Amino acid sequence: MTHIKIDPAIAEALKNFTLPDNLGFGQVMAPVMASCIYENGRWGQLELLPYGPISMYPNAKVLHYAQEIFEGMKAYRVGGLGPFIFRPDENHLRFNRSAERMAMPHIPIELFMQASLEVTAYSADFVPRRSGESLYLRPFMFATEEALGIKPSEKFRFMVIASPSGSYFSVGGLSVFIERHSARAFPGGTGFAKAGGNYAASLLSAIKTKNLGFVQTLWLDGRDKKYIEEMSGMNFFAVINNELHTPEINDSILEGITRKSIITLARDAGIKVVERKMEINELLEDIKAERCTEAFACGTAAIIAPIDYLAEESGERFPLKDHEGKLALQLREQLLSIQEGRSTDIYKWVVNVEPKSLPKNL
Ligand code: COI
């Protein structure tokens, strides 16, 4: 492992932090963060700092051209076990795929892991302990070069911040609005990358979804508006004729690690999983005819959330017969029990982090 520089001010930050009872998602921040700067073609020293504001010049490229990527991972400590981080190696691979698309440097696995593990280790006392709660880790990288020319930045900052978090959604009551007009991503674009700009592109429709009285937006392909893609922050699954169907990955869909894990768990449980192009109108017919009985959203933050109904802008609703989501909840429990260290990790998905307290000389 590379050497990490620990700012002595983290002692005070750790001492002064108390975990509130009501966490929400991504609202409470752990008192430490990791940071590393890239310049002159190489990554510098990794530092552990107290969580707080960072400074940047107003002409930093990220503020103008959105050269930014991020990841979402979770560390669990249910019942005092762990902390366990779920599949960080997969997040690292995806981070570098995103970096390539956004003309940013790769992060070496050692740097990505050490930053994530140190933040988790020093935050171990602040990982909430109830099932479904976790320390949400947010690795991210952004362009800091001070220049307004449209050229890839030559300076970047990589950081890991963390948020002790409750559930993203309460399970139940998830209504999904079918976005038939705006698009989130296009073939050849950046949709497969976890780039901040993709999320910005989804926000106007998120407002529309909310104003229409629904919770989540379902995105269709940008070209034909015919095929289901994803839910911006989540992937989509439907149970059709007792098989699990999900849109096949293309360059405008973010490949979720939860999605990938669900496919493995379901196949190993003998459930047929079909990855294919899914036409929205065909799915609505399948729902009406009760061939499709269940649908759910999944993602790191959301875990697995059963869908109540799909809806059109006209207000027409397509309720799922099993809106409580029998299979969704079964998979959710199976996944959570691995993530929380309650069942044997046969897939070797979980990284056990040794909690740390401050070195004596700080
Ligand atoms: C995650 O599940 O980590 C996501 O990316 C969703 C997030 C944007 C809230």
Side-chain angles (χ1 to χ4, degrees), residues 25 70-73 94 136 138 168 194 199 232-234 254 299-302:
F25 174 82
F70 71 95
E71 271 303 321
M73 313 193 280
R94 192 171 64 186
Y136 182 77
R138 175 53 67 89
Y168 192 68
K194 212 161 170 65
Y199 295 80
S232 187
M234 285 175 288
L254 185 97
T300 298

Side-chain angles (χ1 to χ4, degrees), residues 21-33:
D21 277 343
N22 283 334
L23 294 169
F25 174 82
Q27 289 168 26
V28 176
M29 297 312 295
V32 293
M33 62 186 189

Side-chain angles (χ1 to χ4, degrees), residues 101-273:
R101 180 62 182 85
M102 302 304 288
M104 301 169 93
H106 276 189
I107 298 268
I109 179 76
E110 298 77 20
L111 174 57
F112 186 89
M113 290 300 287
Q114 194 177 11
S116 306
L117 263 61
E118 294 281 346
V119 168
T120 305
Y122 282 100
S123 305
D125 284 348
F126 317 126
V127 184
R129 310 286 171 105
R130 285 174 297 217
S131 184
E133 296 180 336
S134 59
L135 182 72
Y136 182 77
L137 294 159
R138 175 53 67 89
F140 60 111
M141 178 181 11
F142 52 97
T144 53
E145 187 182 331
E146 306 92 358
L148 293 180
I150 306 189
K151 281 198 300 185
S153 180
E154 295 194 358
K155 281 162 75 176
F156 296 91
R157 187 163 177 177
F158 167 64
M159 301 189 74
V160 178
I161 55 173
S163 171
S165 288
S167 310
Y168 192 68
F169 289 127
S170 45
V171 173
L174 179 58
S175 54
V176 171
F177 167 62
I178 306 161
E179 175 55 274
R180 290 195 185 257
H181 300 288
S182 292
R184 168 195 169 273
F186 302 88
T190 60
F192 71 92
K194 212 161 170 65
N198 292 336
Y199 295 80
S202 76
L203 297 177
L204 189 59
S205 292
I207 295 172
K208 179 160 101 182
T209 300
K210 190 158 173 255
N211 288 344
L212 288 166
F214 309 120
V215 177
Q216 197 65 41
T217 316
L218 181 65
W219 294 99
L220 306 179
D221 71 285
R223 188 168 44 200
D224 301 323
K225 311 274 175 12
K226 192 168 164 195
Y227 299 102
I228 299 171
E229 297 231 302
E230 56 146 286
M231 303 175 76
S232 187
M234 285 175 288
N235 291 111
F236 178 85
F237 279 89
V239 181
I240 304 171
N241 295 329
N242 296 318
E243 298 169 355
L244 202 49
H245 291 237
T246 190
E248 70 187 5
I249 293 301
N250 62 36
D251 66 359
S252 49
I253 299 179
L254 185 97
E255 185 175 8
I257 293 156
T258 309
R259 173 190 182 278
K260 197 168 174 176
S261 307
I262 288 171
I263 291 174
T264 302
L265 290 176
R267 286 197 173 133
D268 287 0
I271 297 162
K272 183 166 179 205
V273 181

